[in-house]
Amino acid sequence: MPETGEEPTFFGVPGHVTADARAVLFGVPAAFGTPNSGAENGPFFIRRLSKYYKSRFGGEADLLDLRARGPVLEGAVDGGDIGHAGSPAELHSRIGAFVAGLPEQSVPIAVGGDHSITAPLVAAVHGRRPIARAVFLDHHLDVQCWGEELDPLYHTNVASHVAGMLGPGRVTHIGVEPFQGAEVGRGGALRSRLDELGRQLPLHGPDGFGAAAVAEAVGTGQEVYLSVDLDVLAAHEMSATGYPSWDGLRFTELVGVIETIARHNTITGCDIVEFAAARDARDPSTLADAGRAAKLLMHLTQVVLTT
Ligand SMILES: [Mn+2]
């Protein structure tokens, strides 16, 4: 992976937000909401590996989607990184201002960063056009079942913060671990918080992740925010993340789930979070995971642009 002086854009798309942009990719290189370091390097790695698609052609190429026989990334731009200097609150207000300032027809696609950034992203997207449902593709629930008051935003309670913004029944979890623990005596609290939140389509459900099961869990005809925590993938496909999952969705399944959601709903904002690696990591496994994350970003962007 050659280091050049100039930062590449995601997939080599234009590096500024144009008035007619339909998808705005941007980085949120922040790790305020996690005890682990490395999540701040997500945009760095994913931008670098996204060059793969055009690297055979010296960085400039027309790409074709073989499935639709159509163009790729037409209307996508890279809005750069949201600066993460200062406090979490300052980061959140910069995220809010950035999203609010985007052209009306464009869909923001954020690359984190740890999972806590989903909360200010949802708030900003919801402020432009009301979201009916947030879908978390995540191995973990990120739901707070301890205490009476909701703790300050952290990557472990981000779904609770999002649910608090959208109201009851509007959060769907897909790919979560089916066996969940809570503190002794708090199992009932977890169950009632989950009932309040919405639907869960865990790993190893009876209906798998086919189109019918996904449409049933997510619904149809709604404005949807999609958050992909990369640990929803099994560790053999994603170990460059804070909490790799022994078991999880296969990459192909994950893409299928995203396409099903997009076919039946309108995605008005999305993110890919929790890629994590040391800045100087160059081992084959980290690079393969970053390449996979870049490919997922490609799918997500194409889904936004073509459905
Ligand atoms: Mn998460």
Side-chain angles (χ1 to χ4, degrees):
M1 201 158 63
E3 305 283 346
T4 60
E6 206 163 301
E7 282 300 307
T9 62
F10 290 113
F11 309 108
V13 299
H16 58 279
V17 180
T18 53
D20 60 352
R22 293 189 296 125
V24 178
L25 286 64
F26 61 103
V28 187
F32 285 125
T34 172
N36 308 313
S37 63
E40 69 280 9
N41 298 322
F44 168 79
F45 277 99
I46 295 171
R47 276 204 185 85
R48 300 256 150 179
L49 271 295
S50 74
K51 288 167 64 176
Y52 157 83
Y53 292 96
K54 296 182 179 174
S55 59
R56 278 174 57 209
F57 308 97
E60 293 291 334
D62 289 338
L63 300 177
L64 180 73
D65 187 331
L66 293 188
R67 301 163 304 175
R69 286 283 192 272
V72 174
L73 300 171
E74 213 172 64
V77 300
D78 185 338
D81 281 347
I82 309 272
H84 59 288
S87 67
E90 287 169 300
L91 171 72
H92 297 171
S93 76
R94 277 195 295 271
I95 290 172
F98 178 82
V99 171
L102 294 177
E104 204 182 320
Q105 78 287 349
S106 67
V107 175
I109 303 178
V111 175
D114 76 82
H115 211 163
S116 68
I117 64 164
T118 298
L121 285 163
V122 166
V125 171
H126 195 47
R128 303 169 87 206
R129 179 173 169 183
I131 296 167
R133 178 159 305 275
V135 178
F136 284 82
L137 288 144
D138 196 336
H139 189 76
H140 309 99
L141 287 168
D142 299 346
V143 167
Q144 184 179 331
C145 62
W146 57 90
E148 295 311 315
E149 295 284 306
L150 184 56
D151 283 353
L153 177 62
Y154 209 56
H155 75 147
T156 48
N157 67 4
V158 60
S160 296
H161 278 269
V162 167
M165 286 178 228
L166 302 183
R170 296 190 180 275
V171 172
T172 296
H173 283 86
I174 299 182
V176 283
E177 167 62 40
F179 305 111
Q180 292 287 336
E183 283 165 38
V184 173
R186 302 292 298 178
L190 175 61
R191 203 166 60 195
S192 58
R193 298 232 165 135
L194 290 177
D195 289 344
E196 222 173 87
L197 230 67
R199 299 288 303 273
Q200 294 89 43
L201 186 61
L203 280 171
H204 327 301
D207 305 317
F209 296 95
V214 171
E216 164 80 10
V218 174
T220 58
Q222 319 160 91
E223 271 70 32
V224 166
Y225 185 95
L226 201 59
S227 178
V228 184
D229 185 327
L230 288 167
D231 67 29
V232 74
L233 293 167
H236 67 272
E237 293 191 308
M238 188 57 61
S239 59
T241 185
Y243 300 90
S245 310
W246 300 330
D247 194 12
L249 291 182
R250 300 297 307 268
F251 186 86
T252 302
E253 275 180 312
L254 176 57
V255 169
V257 167
I258 291 170
E259 290 188 349
T260 299
I261 295 169
R263 204 161 45 238
H264 298 290
N265 298 278
T266 304
I267 295 177
T268 58
C270 47
D271 63 57
I272 296 179
V273 295
E274 295 284 347
F275 182 88
R279 186 88 169 183
D280 59 356
R282 296 293 182 271
D283 57 286
S285 162
T286 301
L287 298 185
D289 288 353
R292 221 169 268 120
K295 186 172 173 181
L296 186 66
L297 180 63
M298 173 73 104
H299 277 285
L300 205 49
T301 307
Q302 278 301 98
V303 144
V304 161
L305 291 171
T306 60
T307 54

